[in-house]
Amino acid sequence: AQKVTQAQTEISVVEKEDVTLDCVYETRDTTYYLFWYKQPPSGELVFLIRRNSFDEQNEISGRYSWNFQKSTSSFNFTITASQVVDSAVYFCALSEAQGNKLVFGAGTILRVKS
Amino acid sequence: DAGVIQSPRHEVTEMGQEVTLRCKPISGHNSLFWYRQTMMRGLELLIYFNNNVPIDDSGMPEDRFSAKMPNASFSTLKIQPSEPRDSAVYFCASSLGQGGVEKLFFGSGTQLSVL
């Protein structure tokens, strides 16, 4: 069965620090999709990125970057020069092509202090 | 364009009462999901519809929970009778295409408190 582990329950950093959120996944499918979502204090979940299992290229979007490594079943998320507005809960999620069910990790609470 | 619309935003009810949560997906989306979020269990998928048909309801906790999607623009999640352990935030989400392999758009959620 598919599973997502976010071992970091909570991380606190000071503004402008870089921070990496870890995500490790388990699946038996060869075709699957990985996601990151952000849940700010307002509560609504916001999509950040989607990656399929055949695309291991790292991605950068502004201060955000993602490192996908199939060899270690990891899909880590780095925020460079963090800002207070980055404070949120971040969820990693996995969907297998066969089951079509998006399963979320437990989430990592990120607190960025000024 | 309007996003996924959920109502009510907050619901407080007494144990034993019937609760109905509502969701309007984004127009044109053909997949709809109901998730429940609690501190203890995180985000759990309750049920997933594709083209108004329930595809996977294995996450529905028990017979007290039921969900319907009578048309492409409306879905309900009903709890009858409600219990205190049902207290949670319930999210509705929709997407283009089939299943959870596409980007999900979430509503603002319904905060349910069962006293």
Side-chain angles (χ1 to χ4, degrees), chain A residues 33 35 37 39 42-47 50 89 91 95-97 99-106, chain B residues 4 9 33 35 37 42-43 45 48 56 58-59 91 98-108:
Chain A
Y33 299 82
F35 299 79
Y37 283 84
Q39 187 176 37
S42 60
E44 190 168 328
L45 284 112
V46 178
F47 167 86
R50 170 181 178 262
V89 183
F91 292 94
S95 183
E96 295 170 337
N100 284 324
K101 184 187 284 192
L102 185 63
V103 171
F104 285 84
Chain B
V4 175
R9 283 299 307 271
F33 308 80
Y35 279 88
Q37 185 177 31
L43 276 159
L45 176 64
Y48 146 53
D56 186 342
S58 59
F91 287 101
Q98 187 172 356
V101 300
E102 301 294 339
K103 169 184 175 180
L104 261 60
F105 294 79
F106 282 82
S108 300

Side-chain angles (χ1 to χ4, degrees), chain B residues 21-23 25 32 34 49 68-70 73-77:
Chain B
L21 311 182
R22 297 173 176 79
C23 175
L32 184 139
W34 283 100
F49 292 87
K68 293 182 180 179
M69 192 163 185
S73 59
F74 184 64
S75 177
T76 59
L77 178 67

